Amino acid sequence: MATVGLFVIAVLFALYFGRDVLLPIMLALILSFLLRPLVRALYRVRVPEGIGAAIMVVSLFGGVLLAVYTLSGPAAEWVNRMPRVMHELEFKLGDIRAGIDRAREASRQIEQIAKETGNPSGPVREVVVRGPTLMEQAVSQVETVLANVVILLVLLYFFLARGRHSLEALIGTMRNVDDRVHYAMVAATLQQNIAAYLLTITVINAILGLATGLVMWLWGLPNPALWGVMVALANYIPFIGPAVMTGVLFLVSVLTFDSLGTIILPPLSFVALTTIEGNFLTPMIVGRRLSLNPIAVFVSILFWGWLWGIPGALLAVPILAILKILFDAHEPLKPVGALLGD
């Protein structure tokens, strides 16, 4: 048990401190599951896998750039409006802010009295260690993001172009014929189920984002396309993503409208849409082939979010689905797979 415990701690340390390398690898692997059927379809019409993989990578990169370019205007507009937005929030939530300021002032006075009482010789000088400037932090983050994007695209290309050959070579090294057949079937099941799951969830999230953007446009909320795209992305994080977007839409509604009855309509409409999607649409379409335990999903989101931040939370459900398929394929681990299922 002590050895197993030390092994688990070592794995956690490796996952945490190696996230800059492991995160793009895992994201490229999951994207390769999603795009691999398209590469196979191109291969059937006599397009070599290397060229098909390049087409998929370029198309994905171009689509992301187009989306960023299209939405950069509304996003920049909200960033530029932030000082005025904060002023409007202070005005509309003035009573709440006044109470918070009074509590903060009382806390500050109590701390000051405690310092003066506990230190009769006089005030203590505080030493402030200055960290990197905001510009330095922004440049560092941009460099990290660009490096991860390059690593992701290169890995995705190789997974799509050479992944099948590498897997066949690995399975070919097994001496036992039964093992070869078993792991070939496991690989095929993993590819088919994960690709179908990711494609289905992506379509559902796109429909939800489109419906949300349309409803926000009908209610008169500014930049409805921006909120629709944010909803589609946030819905990859079950439970937490919709809750965060409900709060965001409520704040935007507070800034846009004056009457309480009008303010609550956009967030309530989104709650209705996400309730229909989560309780009826997704279970009906996804079915029970890869149905996951909600407790396991929530714990997985917390765990991978803690390890890798927001990207980890986005990848939590696909990683959990991959683990469930692998556990179900191995007899000693089937109880764990049953625990992860619904």
Side-chain angles (χ1 to χ4, degrees):
M1 292 297 294
T3 304
V4 172
L6 290 175
F7 175 75
V8 171
I9 293 174
V11 170
L12 290 177
F13 267 87
L15 289 173
Y16 182 77
F17 289 104
R19 59 187 179 273
D20 291 337
V21 176
L22 296 175
L23 184 58
I25 293 175
M26 183 58 66
L27 183 56
L29 179 63
I30 291 176
L31 285 175
S32 69
F33 285 131
L34 179 62
L35 299 177
R36 182 67 195 167
L38 299 177
V39 175
R40 282 206 307 265
L42 291 176
Y43 183 74
R44 293 193 191 100
V45 294
R46 301 179 182 273
V47 177
E49 287 187 325
I51 298 178
I55 292 174
M56 290 298 103
V57 172
V58 171
S59 300
L60 177 65
F61 185 65
V64 172
L65 282 183
L66 179 61
V68 171
Y69 176 77
T70 303
L71 298 175
S72 60
E77 179 184 346
W78 278 96
V79 171
N80 294 330
R81 286 181 53 190
M82 194 55 62
R84 186 158 59 91
V85 165
M86 297 304 298
H87 178 72
E88 292 178 5
L89 278 177
E90 289 180 0
F91 176 75
K92 293 189 175 183
L93 304 176
D95 295 337
I96 298 177
R97 179 175 175 82
I100 294 175
D101 289 340
R102 286 194 296 269
R104 186 180 301 168
E105 179 64 22
S107 176
R108 189 190 64 79
Q109 292 178 0
I110 293 173
E111 290 179 359
Q112 184 66 27
I113 293 173
K115 287 181 180 179
E116 293 176 356
T117 304
N119 186 22
S121 61
V124 179
R125 293 184 178 181
E126 295 183 358
V127 178
V128 179
V129 180
R130 296 188 179 276
T133 64
L134 184 61
M135 181 59 68
E136 291 173 347
Q137 294 179 7
V139 171
S140 176
Q141 290 295 326
V142 169
E143 291 176 351
T144 302
V145 170
L146 290 178
N148 286 335
V149 168
V150 172
I151 294 172
L152 169 64
L153 294 177
V154 173
L155 283 173
L156 179 59
Y157 172 78
F158 284 119
F159 280 147
L160 292 174
R162 301 295 304 174
R164 180 175 63 86
H165 302 284
S166 301
L167 182 61
E168 290 175 354
L170 178 62
I171 294 177
T173 60
M174 300 177 183
R175 296 183 178 180
N176 193 321
V177 177
D178 293 336
D179 287 343
R180 293 183 187 179
V181 174
H182 173 71
Y183 284 105
M185 292 179 62
V186 170
T189 302
L190 186 65
Q191 170 65 59
Q192 292 173 2
N193 286 355
I194 296 300
Y197 174 78
L198 291 175
L199 180 60
T200 304
I201 294 300
T202 300
V203 172
I204 291 174
N205 291 349
I207 293 174
L208 178 64
L210 182 63
T212 301
L214 179 61
V215 170
M216 297 305 114
W217 175 73
L218 291 175
W219 288 125
L221 223 60
N223 308 121
L226 177 62
W227 313 127
V229 172
M230 289 180 63
V231 164
L233 293 176
N235 205 52
Y236 281 102
I237 309 177
F239 310 125
I240 298 176
V244 171
M245 285 309 304
T246 302
V248 170
L249 292 175
F250 176 75
L251 288 178
V252 175
S253 185
V254 168
L255 297 171
T256 305
F257 307 114
D258 295 324
S259 64
L260 180 61
T262 310
I263 287 174
I264 64 173
L265 288 177
L268 281 182
S269 301
F270 171 69
V271 169
L273 288 174
T274 192
T275 301
I276 295 172
E277 176 269 328
N279 292 281
F280 300 101
L281 185 61
T282 298
M284 181 178 63
I285 296 178
V286 174
R288 301 190 62 84
R289 179 175 57 178
L290 202 57
S291 185
L292 300 174
N293 188 342
I295 299 176
V297 170
F298 191 74
V299 172
S300 178
I301 292 171
L302 294 179
F303 175 75
W304 292 106
W306 168 66
L307 277 179
W308 293 346
I310 294 178
L314 287 170
L315 296 176
V317 178
I319 291 175
L320 184 64
I322 292 173
L323 291 176
K324 174 175 168 49
I325 293 174
L326 293 178
F327 291 158
D328 289 340
H330 295 81
E331 193 65 33
L333 297 176
K334 277 190 176 181
V336 183
L339 183 63
L340 299 181
D342 189 2

